[in-house]
Amino acid sequence: MGDHKEQSLRVGAAVRRRRRALDLTLAVVAERSGLSVPFLSQVENDRARPSRGSLEKVADALRTTAVELLAAADPACTVDVVRAEPAGPAPAPQSRSLVRGHHQMQATEYTGDHEAGREFQHRNDQLLYVADGAVEIEAEGRAYRLGRGDSLYLTGGVRHRWRATVPETRVLVVAVAEHIAAVEDRP
């Protein structure tokens, strides 16, 4: 009932992301595609659905394909349920996405340990929340020990690594999506 399997796609956000990534105005895309600025604005704001021919014209103007724009499209629904994995014996270390699709937020659940020596540096902000167990996080030359219910916020660009210190640890990582330019790229 609340799960969405088949859903229509909103291509407007994908068009806008691609246009902005190329640093183009709506007027330039309109000129290249032969479509009007008001129509393109309506497409980007999901107030108009382009025909296949119009979508191909927009894709050509954005130096991509209609298939790639559709693949990057957002689902039309605003509610999506991701079900928990069935309970069983202690699983091997694993991760699973808690948000499906191409959205402005990403959330991942890590169960068990993972590559403790791997260093991360994300362009955008991130929140680590310990749902069960405990972790040790190194960030900016300092070590932080977090237990169940604790969280750590990292601004974009902070180098960090973490490891589980208790078996069956579960960590939720919530972040601004990488395709969203929340902060300028740092060298």
Side-chain angles (χ1 to χ4, degrees):
M1 181 152 107
D3 297 334
H4 294 284
K5 299 281 187 223
E6 292 296 318
Q7 48 199 348
S8 61
L9 297 175
R10 297 180 311 175
V11 74
V15 170
R16 183 183 309 106
R17 283 190 298 267
R18 177 69 181 173
R19 177 179 64 79
R20 288 181 176 169
L22 295 172
D23 202 25
L24 300 175
T25 64
L26 279 174
V28 170
V29 176
E31 183 180 318
R32 288 181 181 179
S33 66
L35 301 169
S36 72
V37 170
F39 175 70
L40 291 171
S41 176
Q42 288 179 341
V43 167
E44 284 193 2
N45 290 297
D46 290 313
R47 289 192 302 257
R49 282 184 87 183
S51 67
R52 181 164 179 84
S54 293
L55 186 59
E56 287 174 1
K57 289 177 182 179
V58 170
D60 287 344
L62 296 174
R63 298 182 187 116
T64 189
T65 65
V67 171
E68 288 177 347
L69 286 175
L70 288 170
D74 293 334
C77 69
T78 57
V79 176
D80 188 24
V81 175
V82 176
R83 298 285 179 195
E85 301 292 324
Q94 63 182 12
S95 66
R96 73 181 181 110
S97 179
L98 301 176
V99 178
R100 288 186 279 239
H102 198 68
H103 298 286
Q104 294 181 3
M105 181 188 77
Q106 296 173 336
T108 306
E109 176 188 57
Y110 293 92
T111 304
D113 209 347
H114 75 121
E115 301 174 52
R118 183 173 176 203
E119 185 174 74
F120 299 93
Q121 181 180 25
H122 300 282
R123 177 170 94 167
N124 295 336
D125 296 357
Q126 194 173 62
L127 176 81
L128 283 78
Y129 173 79
V130 181
D132 286 309
V135 297
E136 188 173 88
I137 301 170
E138 287 180 41
E140 297 198 322
R142 293 187 60 196
Y144 302 89
R145 294 177 192 267
L146 279 67
R148 182 175 184 207
D150 293 340
S151 64
L152 178 90
Y153 177 81
L154 301 161
T155 58
V158 172
R159 291 183 185 276
H160 63 283
R161 69 182 81 205
W162 65 273
R163 68 180 186 88
T165 58
V166 173
E168 299 182 37
T169 291
R170 279 189 321 126
V171 176
L172 306 180
V173 178
V174 180
V176 175
E178 285 296 317
H179 67 275
I180 305 295
V183 295
E184 291 185 29
D185 288 331
R186 296 178 181 143

